[in-house]
Amino acid sequence: MPLRFSLRQLEYFVGVGETGSIAGASQRLNVSSPSVSAGISQLEVELGVQLFIRHHAQGMTPTAAGLQILDQARLVLRQAGAINDMAGDLSGSVRGSLAIGCLSTFAQIVVPGLRQSFVQEHPEVRTSQIEADQSGLFSLQRQARIDLALTYDLDLPRDLTFIPILDLPPMVALYETHPLAHLPEISIDQLAPHPMVLLDLPHSAEYFMSFFTDHGLRANIAERTRDMAVMRGLVANGFGYSIINVRPQSDLAPDRKPIRYVPLSGGQRAMKLGILTSAGSNHTQLHKTFFGHAQRWIEDQADRLQLNPTGRATGCQQSSAASRSIIASHCPS
């Protein structure tokens, strides 16, 4: 019996199933909400099954049948993507879909520009992005909901592979009149007595706390938040200092109050920004091309994006040839 539904309808179905709403799927897939709604309705008619329970103004929940079909739909889309990738490899072209995960703390700084530059060079590629914390990215990678992720080298599991691109040394964010704000650099010993606003994200918080425990000190945590913008607001309004690795594009908090950023002294371990992918994956031409492009783009844009604002030499900033060899070792032809 010929199939009467399309891969596009399955994409709409999976998009709604994973975001919980027509609007969420529309935003993720970059198509209109009416198109998504019509595609879902047509798919239900063709399958003869109700896939979702509609909640007025509260999104959509998959039915029991919808949950079973959702898993199969993901598998079909992955297999269709593999066929497209294989065709690209055989023809030597770069095309297909690429789902990019990114750590939420710097996604807004890096991912939009990187995606735009990649698609401009490779117009047959369709990219999408998902932001999450470190644990969330691990889960998304294992579920094959993303092809790769831009993140830090924090508590990396053995079943995932990390390709480093750039070192990001830690810095201190302080309100303008903080007693330490006038210093050219600040030590952990100087910070310890002062109230701290901790960016309390999985793995990141442990990394920041290690600066103190390694020196036999305890941080004076006054506030905790999982949101970068809230952290900046708390700092600018005098609730304490914070420690970060990616400097925001503006020296103003969301409420327009100023923040000073000062290097953290003492040779504290820098976070490495890089690409996370599944260990042992048979990477396609699309993946390998994106790895190389991301390496070059991030290195070229590091100063503009203030990814290394201290100006210190960093371990991952190698020659172009050496950098490419790192990627080649993880992505054999």
Side-chain angles (χ1 to χ4, degrees), residues 23-268:
S26 172
Q27 184 175 15
R28 175 190 289 189
L29 299 170
N30 196 28
V31 296
S32 69
S33 292
S35 296
V36 175
S37 180
I40 295 296
S41 296
Q42 291 165 7
L43 183 60
E44 288 181 319
V45 170
E46 296 299 340
L47 296 178
V49 173
Q50 182 180 353
L51 299 173
F52 293 102
I53 299 172
R54 276 78 167 169
H55 304 283
H56 180 64
Q58 296 183 12
M60 300 169 69
T61 303
T63 62
L67 285 173
Q68 294 183 54
I69 296 174
L70 186 61
D71 288 337
Q72 193 64 34
R74 289 193 186 105
L75 177 60
V76 170
L77 290 175
R78 284 199 296 270
Q79 291 174 333
I83 292 173
N84 197 41
D85 292 339
M86 182 182 297
D89 288 346
L90 293 172
S91 66
S93 64
V94 179
R95 63 187 187 189
S97 298
L98 187 69
I100 303 167
C102 189
L103 200 66
S104 55
T105 52
F106 64 82
Q108 71 276 20
I109 298 174
V110 175
V111 179
L114 174 58
R115 284 180 59 191
Q116 181 192 45
S117 67
F118 186 68
V119 172
Q120 283 179 338
E121 287 190 13
H122 306 285
E124 293 186 84
V125 176
R126 186 174 62 176
T127 63
S128 61
Q129 70 186 66
I130 302 177
E131 304 84 36
D133 60 30
Q134 187 80 326
S135 296
L137 291 176
F138 295 162
S139 178
L140 289 168
Q141 190 81 64
R142 288 167 177 149
Q143 295 172 30
R145 289 180 56 191
I146 56 175
D147 297 299
L148 52 91
L150 290 161
T151 188
Y152 297 138
D153 62 330
L154 294 179
D155 296 319
L156 299 172
R158 293 183 179 180
D159 61 322
L160 300 176
T161 296
F162 183 78
I163 304 171
I165 296 177
L166 193 71
D167 279 356
L168 302 176
M171 69 193 83
V172 186
L174 312 105
Y175 54 91
E176 197 171 36
T177 58
H178 192 284
L180 304 178
H182 66 287
L183 298 175
E185 61 179 17
I186 301 172
S187 70
I188 287 295
D189 288 337
Q190 291 171 308
L191 280 179
H194 294 275
M196 179 183 189
V197 179
L198 177 64
L199 191 59
D200 196 9
L201 292 169
H203 306 286
S204 296
E206 291 84 351
Y207 164 74
F208 295 132
M209 290 299 94
S210 71
F211 299 160
F212 298 91
T213 56
D214 289 350
H215 287 76
L217 300 171
R218 172 179 286 185
N220 179 15
I221 300 174
E223 301 282 343
R224 296 173 183 263
T225 179
R226 296 169 66 91
D227 188 284
M228 188 80 162
V230 173
M231 178 274 289
R232 290 163 56 208
L234 290 170
V235 168
N237 282 278
F239 287 89
Y241 70 88
S242 193
I243 302 177
I244 59 174
N245 293 76
V246 173
R247 180 171 179 165
Q249 294 296 285
S250 172
D251 288 347
L252 300 177
D255 62 1
R256 310 301 293 171
K257 291 184 178 179
I259 300 176
R260 270 188 55 80
Y261 297 97
V262 179
L264 185 62
S265 66
Q268 311 301 331

Side-chain angles (χ1 to χ4, degrees), residues 276-290:
L276 186 72
T277 184
S278 298
S281 294
N282 183 21
H283 294 297
T284 66
Q285 183 66 32
L286 171 56
H287 293 160
K288 290 182 278 189
T289 302
F290 181 82

